[in-house]
Amino acid sequence: MVVPELRPWRAARPQWERIANAVRPRLASAVTAAGPRIARLTRAVRVRPVHLPRPRTVRTWQYTAGAATAGLALAAGVVTVAGPWDANGQRTAERDRAAALERAGGADHGRSGTGARAPRPAPSAGPVLTGLGGTTGAVGTKKAPPPGQAVSDALGPLLDTPALGDAHAAAVVDVQTGERLYGADAGRALTPASTTKIATAVAALSALGPDHRLTTRAALEPDTRELVLVGGGDPTLTAHPRGDGWASLRTLAADTAKALDERGIHRITLSYDTTLFTGPALHPIGVNDNLAPVSALTADEGRTDDSASGPVPRVADPAADAAARFAGFLKDAGITTTHPGPSKASTRAQTLASVSSPPLSALVERMLTNSDNDIAEALARHTALASGQPASFDGGAEGIATQLRGLGLPMAGAAFHDGSGLDRDDRLTADLLTALLVKAGDPHRPGLRPVLTGLPVAGFTGTLSTRYTDGASGLVRAKTGTLTGVNTLAGTVVDRTGRLLAFAFLASDTPNATEAQSALDKAATALTG
C-alpha cells in the first residue's frame, strides 16, 4: 500500500536536505572522535525488547518526524560524548577564532572604556580553562595526572638538543594539584625575555585588582585659567578615530571643549602633567622600535603609524605628542590653545573631563597576547606605586618582586630590572614561571585568571598565531620570549586526558633562533599527547 506524502514535508524537503548536507561532515567527524566512548556505552547497556500493548498504524509523517528527532538527538549526544574537542583538538578553538574575527576587542570582561557604543569584546578561550573550577566544563579535573616518567620520556629527548644550547631549564606542573611532573634544572635562574610579562601580570593584578582602571583627565586651574592634561599612566589611550573600547583622547577633548564652552572660555593656555611616573623614561636598551620612552601621558604608545602592536619607530617625546594631538582636537571643537608645555596640576585644579581605560584585566590580556612592552612597563610602574615604591624602572622591579613574595612564590634566584623582559639582566626560574601559572589557575584567586586567558593561543592569536599550524593548534596557550641568543616559552597545555598542565622552557646561548623556537614548540606539542 502506498501512503501519500504530506504536503508540508514535500515543501520542507529542500531545507532539510541542505541542513543534512551541512551537518553530515561535522557529524561524521564527531562520530569518529566519539567512537571509542560510544563503543564502551554500547557494551555497558543491554537493550531489551519492548512489548507494545497493541500494534498500531504509523503514518509516513510520523516516521519523518521521529527520524528527524532521533537524528538531532543522536547528533547532540555524539557531540556531548565527544566533548568540546574534536579528533584534531581544534573545533572549539576554530569556533572561538571565528567569533573573535567577527568582533573587535579583547577577552570578555563586559563593557569597558568610555565609548557608549563600544563593540562587544571577543571571548576568552573558556573551554581551555573551564575545568579549573573543578566541576563542569571542557577540561576534566577528576582524572589522574600523567605519570612523571611518561612526561620525562616525552620531553627528555626533545629538550636535549643542540638547538637549545648548553644552558636550558624546564618544568611541567599539574595545574590543579600543583604536583611537579617534570623538572630539569628547574631552579636554575636564566634570562626569561618576554616571559617576564607573566610575572608582571600576576604582580599588577595582585596589587591593583582586575577591575582597576587608569584615568586621564583635563583639569582647569581656577586662578590662571590654565588647562592641564594630566597623564594617568594609561598606555592604551588612543587618538584614533575609532576608540574600539579603549580610552579616547578625542572624546576627552570633546568633553573638555563642551565644559569650557559652558564657562564661556574659548581661548586657553594648555599644559600637560606627566609627574605620576618618575626616573628615566628611556629603557636601558636605548631607543628601540619595541618600546617608546615610558611616560604617564602617551597616545597610541607613541607609534608613528596606525599599528597597535609589534615593533615600529616611536616618537621621541610621547607626552608632547599626545598634548599636541589634544590641542588639535580642541581646536576642531572651537577652543584655541597655546602651544602645550610641561607643567604640574595643582591640588586646586578642577577636573573638567576624564576618560578611563578598560579594566586592568583587559590590559593584562592585551599585554600578554601581543607581548606589548609599553603596557608591561606602565603596569610595572603602577605596581610600584601600589607597593609604596617610586614609579620608575627600579621601583617597578621592586614592586613586582614585593608582590610575588607576598604570594609565597619561589623567588630564589629571581631578579627583575623591568616589567617587559627586554633587560638581559632579568632572571627567572622554570619553577617560578610554572608557580605563577598555577597561582593564576587557583580557583580561590579568580582575579588572576586573565594571566591564563591572555596567553596567546597556538596557531590562532597574538605571538603564536603563525606557530603550531601543523601541530597542537588550539591546545597550547603560551607566552613567548625572544632575545638574541635567548628563547623561552611558558604557558599551559591540555593533554590527551583533558588535564591542564603548566610548563616553562628557558634556553640561553641558543645558536639559531628559528631552530630553538621549533624545538620549544615540539616540546610543548609533545605534552598534548
Side-chain angles (χ1 to χ4, degrees), residues 49-373:
V50 178
H51 301 284
L52 299 176
R54 67 168 68 100
R56 59 191 179 95
T57 303
V58 182
R59 298 190 179 97
T60 302
W61 72 269
Q62 291 173 305
Y63 277 118
T64 302
T69 302
L72 291 174
L74 174 61
V78 169
V79 171
T80 300
V81 173
W85 302 100
D86 63 11
N88 295 322
Q90 295 187 43
R91 187 173 69 247
T92 299
E94 288 171 352
R95 185 180 66 240
D96 285 352
R97 186 190 189 207
L101 292 175
E102 292 175 359
R103 292 177 283 177
D108 190 357
H109 294 290
R111 288 194 174 275
S112 60
T114 55
R117 302 181 62 186
R120 182 184 177 191
S124 300
V128 179
L129 300 166
T130 305
L132 293 171
T135 55
T136 61
V139 181
T141 57
K142 300 299 183 183
K143 301 174 183 177
Q149 188 59 48
V151 178
S152 180
D153 291 344
L155 289 184
L158 295 175
L159 295 176
D160 187 19
T161 171
L164 296 181
D166 295 328
H168 55 266
V172 179
V173 176
D174 179 79
V175 172
Q176 186 191 19
T177 65
E179 177 187 356
R180 184 201 280 180
L181 306 176
Y182 177 80
D185 279 343
R188 183 178 184 181
L190 296 173
T191 303
S194 277
T195 55
T196 299
K197 294 182 178 71
I198 295 175
T200 301
V202 170
L205 289 168
S206 297
L208 302 165
D211 298 324
H212 184 76
R213 296 173 187 261
L214 310 178
T215 299
T216 307
R217 62 191 180 96
L220 180 65
E221 296 287 359
D223 298 329
T224 62
R225 287 201 169 188
E226 175 189 8
L227 181 68
V228 185
L229 178 61
V230 183
D234 179 6
T236 61
L237 180 69
T238 180
H240 290 160
R242 291 184 56 186
D244 289 334
W246 306 98
S248 170
L249 193 63
R250 292 171 183 262
T251 299
L252 181 60
D255 292 346
T256 301
K258 181 180 178 181
L260 290 171
D261 182 66
E262 291 173 350
R263 289 166 171 76
I265 302 174
H266 299 95
R267 185 180 285 277
I268 200 79
T269 298
L270 180 61
S271 303
Y272 57 90
D273 182 347
T274 63
T275 58
L276 181 66
F277 291 171
T278 59
L282 199 62
H283 191 280
I285 61 172
V287 176
N288 194 286
D289 289 354
N290 289 289
L291 176 66
V294 183
S295 172
L297 176 63
T298 180
D300 300 306
E301 301 180 338
R303 295 174 177 273
T304 54
D305 62 10
D306 293 331
S307 65
S309 63
V312 68
R314 312 303 180 93
V315 298
D317 189 341
D321 173 72
R325 295 191 187 198
F326 184 69
F329 298 146
L330 286 176
K331 182 178 180 181
D332 293 340
I335 304 297
T336 301
T337 73
T338 61
H339 183 75
S343 182
K344 178 176 173 58
S346 71
T347 56
R348 300 181 64 245
Q350 178 186 4
T351 298
L352 299 184
S354 64
V355 290
S356 295
S357 72
L360 182 63
S361 55
L363 272 62
V364 163
E365 288 192 322
R366 176 171 163 177
M367 172 186 71
L368 293 172
T369 298
N370 297 331
S371 196
D372 193 304
N373 298 304

Side-chain angles (χ1 to χ4, degrees), residues 405-428:
R405 282 193 293 266
L407 291 171
L409 294 165
M411 297 292 288
F416 295 97
H417 296 276
D418 64 5
S420 62
L422 289 173
D423 196 310
R424 301 182 69 89
D425 290 333
D426 289 337
R427 292 291 184 272
L428 294 182

